[in-house]
C-alpha cells in the first residue's frame, strides 16, 4: 500500500539556520505530494504541493522537489525564523487511495530558538 | 479563498451530553472530510462525504454521527462520548473526493470529554 515516512523530531535549530526535513514515499502510479504545517493550537495549513515528477513546490521561503527516482519530497528552507516553529506533515494523494484519502507521515516537530 | 471554518473552537462535554460540531466551506467543493487528531500525531480520517453522500466511514463508533445537509456544510453529532475521544477534530474539503486532490483544512474544534 501507499505510505509516507518522514524524519522523526523534534528538530531544534537556531534562527537563520538551514532546515531540511526528509520525506520519502511509497506509492503506485503518480501521486501528488504535499507539505502541511500545523502551528501550535491551530489546524493544518497547506504549505506547498507538487503534482508531478521534478515539480518544485514553494511558499513562504520553503521549497520541496518531487523526486521520482528517489521517491522523496524533502522540505527545505534556507533561513528559519522563530515563527516557523510548528509540526510539519508530509502527505500524498494517489489515484488508488479510496475516496481521495491523504496518507500522512508521522509529522516532524520543529523548534526554532532565537 | 481557501477557507474552511469550524465552530465551536473549543468544546467541553460530559459523557452523557449531546453536542454537534459544524464545518462550512464556500469554495464550491463537493467533498468534505472529518478527521480526528491527537497531540503531535497525524490526523486520522473518520468520514468522507462526496456530493452529499457518505462515501467512507473508517469504522468509527456510532457515538459519532456525521451529517451533510448540503454541499457547503458538514456536521458531526456527538453523543455518549468517552474521555479517550478528547482530541482536535478537523474538517477538510476538496474538489470532488476521488482520485488526486488537494484537501484544505479548517482550524479545528478542540474537544474535551470529562
Amino acid at each position: 500500500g501507499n505510505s509516507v515516512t518522514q524524519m522523526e523530531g523534534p528538530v531544534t535549530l537556531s534562527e537563520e539556520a538551514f532546515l531540511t526535513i526528509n520525506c520519502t514515499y511509497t506509492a503506485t502510479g503518480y501521486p501528488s505530494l504535499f507539505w502541511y504545517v500545523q502551528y501550535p493550537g491551530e489546524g493544518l495549513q497547506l504549505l506547498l504541493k507538487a503534482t508531478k515528477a521534478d515539480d518544485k513546490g514553494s511558499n513562504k521561503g520553503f521549497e520541496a522537489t518531487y523526486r521520482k527516482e528517489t521517491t522523496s519530497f524533502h522540505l527545505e528552507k534556507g533561513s528559519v525564523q522563530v515563527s516557523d516553529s510548528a509540526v510539519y506533515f508530509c502527505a500524498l494523494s494517489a489515484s488508488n487511495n479510496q475516496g481521495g484519502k491523504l496518507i500522512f507521515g508521522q509529522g516532524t516537530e520543529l523548534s526554532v530558538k532565537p | 479563498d481557501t477557507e474552511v471554518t469550524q465552530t465551536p473552537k473549543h468544546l467541553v462535554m460530559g459523557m452523557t451530553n449531546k453536542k454537534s460540531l459544524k464545518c462550512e466551506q464556500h469554495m464550491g467543493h463537493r467533498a468534505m472530510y472529518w478527521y480526528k487528531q491527537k497531540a503531535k500525531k497525524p490526523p486520522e480520517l473518520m468520514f468522507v462525504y462526496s456530493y452529499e453522500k457518505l462515501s467512507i466511514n473508517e469504522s468509527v463508533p456510532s457515538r459519532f454521527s456525521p451529517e451533510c445537509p448540503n454541499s457547503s456544510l458538514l456536521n458531526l453529532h456527538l453523543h455518549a462520548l468517552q474521555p479517550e475521544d478528547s482530541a482536535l477534530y478537523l474538517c477538510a474539503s476538496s474538489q470532488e473526493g476521488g482520485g488526486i486532490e488537494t484537501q484544505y483544512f479548517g482550524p479545528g474544534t478542540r474537544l474535551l470529554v470529562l
Side-chain angles (χ1 to χ4, degrees):
Chain A
N2 301 328
S3 67
V4 174
T5 302
Q6 59 181 105
M7 65 187 281
E8 298 214 4
V11 173
T12 302
L13 295 174
S14 298
E15 211 165 19
E16 298 184 6
F18 184 86
L19 169 71
T20 300
I21 300 178
N22 291 337
C23 171
T24 56
Y25 68 90
T26 302
T28 53
Y30 301 92
S32 286
L33 300 171
F34 307 87
W35 278 102
Y36 286 89
V37 58
Q38 187 170 32
Y39 298 103
E42 298 187 10
L44 270 67
Q45 295 179 26
L46 178 65
L47 182 59
L48 53 84
K49 68 178 183 180
T51 59
K52 59 184 188 297
D54 299 326
D55 264 3
K56 178 186 281 189
S58 61
N59 186 25
K60 299 182 181 180
F62 291 89
E63 291 183 342
T65 301
Y66 187 159
R67 301 279 188 207
K68 192 161 177 62
E69 63 276 13
T70 54
T71 62
S72 65
F73 192 54
H74 304 322
L75 183 68
E76 296 183 337
K77 186 176 186 184
S79 175
V80 293
Q81 305 300 311
V82 172
S83 57
D84 294 324
S85 298
V87 181
Y88 293 81
F89 292 98
C90 185
L92 74 80
S93 177
S95 57
N96 62 338
N97 284 0
Q98 183 193 10
K101 284 173 68 170
L102 273 176
I103 308 297
F104 287 96
Q106 286 304 301
T108 302
E109 183 179 10
L110 170 66
S111 178
V112 180
K113 306 295 185 189
Chain B
D1 183 12
T2 56
E3 190 178 27
V4 176
T5 59
Q6 291 186 243
T7 54
K9 193 170 172 61
H10 299 277
L11 180 62
V12 180
M13 60 186 290
M15 289 190 284
T16 58
N17 291 159
K18 285 186 182 181
K19 297 285 186 185
S20 296
L21 310 184
K22 180 179 171 181
C23 173
E24 202 160 1
Q25 58 87 15
H26 295 288
M27 294 179 276
H29 288 170
R30 303 310 299 268
M32 296 184 79
Y33 307 75
W34 279 117
Y35 288 85
K36 174 183 177 180
Q37 186 185 27
K38 292 285 198 178
K40 298 181 184 174
K41 297 293 186 184
E44 299 171 14
L45 184 65
M46 299 173 72
F47 303 104
V48 182
Y49 274 84
S50 179
Y51 289 87
E52 299 156 48
K53 286 187 170 45
L54 184 65
S55 59
I56 294 179
N57 176 343
E58 291 285 280
S59 303
V60 179
S62 60
R63 57 186 184 269
F64 295 91
S65 175
E67 178 196 16
C68 189
N70 60 59
S71 59
S72 301
L73 195 54
L74 184 67
N75 298 319
L76 186 63
H77 302 298
L78 313 173
H79 173 55
L81 295 193
Q82 304 297 310
E84 60 264 27
D85 297 321
S86 298
L88 181 68
Y89 288 84
L90 294 164
C91 174
S93 71
S94 69
Q95 207 70 38
E96 293 189 333
I100 298 175
E101 297 184 347
T102 301
Q103 291 186 26
Y104 297 92
F105 286 80
T109 293
R110 196 163 298 279
L111 173 66
L112 178 62
V113 182
L114 300 176

